[in-house]
Amino acid sequence: MLGLGAFRPTAPLFGGLLWKIPWRLSRPQKLRHRRRLRRVDTVVATLERALVRNGLAKGEAESTTAAAAAANANAKPKGAAKKGKKEAELSLVRKGLSTHAIERWKTEMPSEAEMVPKDKYTIFDRKVRGYRKTIRKLPKWTRVSQRINPPGF
Amino acid sequence: MAYFRITLIRSAIGLPEKTHGTLRALGLRKRMRTVFHPVSQDVAGQIMKVKELVDVQEVERALTKAEVKALRQPQRGFWLEYRPAR
């Protein structure tokens, strides 16, 4: 039974540079990946809608006005707008009208529809020529949220 | 009172220990287990930690384990007909 089992002398084990992971996702794989992204989007949307409906978060329109009002209230002569906004969000969090994790997701993460295909199917890697590698090189790529690039890429 | 109906769709095998801990805290020990938790920011934060693994709905009432099971039962596939009483 030579050559059978897990340690058989196959080309990937023998050769130095033989990649077993295909670079491209197939069309159905891409479809399933998009569905997974959308599923996460709907989960976050459901959470937010439920919190708003139960008075535990401000609605979209209210939250911006509230944030602006808080920013004005906290405005210092040299205070940057960004800082004011962050403080406003923090004050909302303290009042129990905002959930930090959801706010952060909303500000940082693009939805599936907003993402460009490059970001959906590839990931930044500084060691790779062209700085992009296929998303399936990311460990647990079907169960983690990886949607944004480092600044400048 | 509104509840989150949370179902574990994907297992956390191979994910960080913290993810397992969050699922345990939510009462999700096996795939396709459904639990109900009141709508609150605490629970929302917990769900955000495992959002890739679960399916979430907002419902008005928390179902018991027996009710959830009854919903899952398939139809019997036959109907008993009785002779009308004279």
Side-chain angles (χ1 to χ4, degrees), chain B residues 3 8 22 24 26 30 37 61 68 70 72 86:
Chain B
Y3 287 84
L8 185 62
T22 309
R24 267 182 76 99
L26 283 169
K30 292 182 175 181
H37 286 289
R61 191 172 71 84
V68 172
R72 284 195 176 145
R86 296 194 190 196

Side-chain angles (χ1 to χ4, degrees), chain B residues 7-11 28-33 72:
Chain B
T7 306
L8 185 62
I9 303 290
R10 310 219 38 208
S11 137
L28 296 166
R29 281 156 197 261
K30 292 182 175 181
R31 262 192 72 218
M32 305 315 286
R33 174 72 214 263
R72 284 195 176 145

Side-chain angles (χ1 to χ4, degrees), chain A residues 80-100:
Chain A
K82 198 178 173 187
K83 200 179 172 190
K85 201 175 173 190
K86 193 153 196 179
E87 279 173 10
E89 196 224 309
L90 269 178
S91 75
L92 279 179
V93 169
R94 287 199 199 98
K95 280 183 209 154
L97 289 173
S98 171
T99 305
H100 181 67

Side-chain angles (χ1 to χ4, degrees), chain A residues 36 39-40 43-44 46-47 50-51 53-54 56 96-99 101-102 105 140 142-143 145, chain B residues 2 4 9-15 39-41 44 47-48 51-56 58 60:
Chain A
R36 280 192 293 270
R39 182 193 280 280
V40 176
V43 165
V44 178
T46 309
L47 289 181
L51 290 176
R53 243 170 51 83
N54 290 277
L56 293 169
L97 289 173
S98 171
T99 305
I102 297 179
W105 178 272
K140 317 294 173 205
T142 61
R143 287 182 289 160
S145 288
Chain B
F4 284 127
I9 303 290
R10 310 219 38 208
S11 137
I13 291 176
L15 291 180
V39 171
S40 73
Q41 287 155 332
I47 297 173
M48 281 301 281
K51 58 191 170 308
E52 295 89 2
L53 310 179
V54 295
D55 179 57
V56 182
E58 189 199 1
E60 280 309 309

